[in-house]
Structure formats: C-alpha cells, structure tokens
Amino acid sequence: MLFSPGKTETLCVEGMKCAHCKKSVENAAVGVKGVKKAEAELSGGVLTLTIDKDAPEAVLDEVVAAVNACGFKAHR
C-alpha cells in the first residue's frame, strides 16, 4: 500500500516525560527512510508522522521498532 503525498499517520508512544524524550523519539522516527517529518506530543503521548508518497506501509512498523529501540513503547 502506498501513501498519498504528505499523508500523516499517528502512533502512540509511552514513556516520554521531558523535552529530551520528545527529541529522541522524533529523531528516531525521522531516521527511518520514508519519514519526512515527526512531531511528538508529551501530554498526549502521540507521535505524528508525515510520510513520503512512495513509502510502503511497512515504514510504520520500522518507526515503531526505531522508537522502541531507544527505550520507549510505541504502537499503532
């Protein structure tokens, strides 16, 4: 499945408590090929992603794995 241009997706992220946590989650997400932009919200535990138009749906699983690898609990 391909995403439409500039499509946004949202993931839940548990464990973010400070600005450093927020930045770590965002950096992990944008480090995944196909992610154009990532913005985490501390208060809601939400990570909003802007995905490249040609990225496969598997990019979301890769983001979950990258965020989990840096010590947080991400899920769809």
Side-chain angles (χ1 to χ4, degrees):
M1 172 184 193
L2 296 178
F3 295 100
S4 56
K7 176 160 176 134
T8 58
E9 294 288 332
T10 304
L11 299 174
C12 297
V13 180
E14 299 172 25
M16 293 187 296
K17 295 180 176 28
C18 65
H20 179 73
C21 295
K22 177 183 183 304
K23 192 66 173 169
S24 293
V25 167
E26 291 170 347
N27 287 342
V30 296
V32 173
K33 185 177 180 179
V35 177
K36 293 174 80 172
K37 181 180 174 185
E39 179 143 358
E41 294 179 29
L42 289 175
S43 60
V46 174
L47 176 62
T48 303
L49 306 165
T50 302
I51 307 295
D52 285 334
K53 66 178 181 174
D54 297 326
E57 188 173 353
V59 72
L60 295 178
D61 294 330
E62 293 175 27
V63 171
V64 168
V67 171
N68 289 347
C70 61
F72 302 93
K73 174 77 172 132
H75 53 89
R76 290 177 150 185

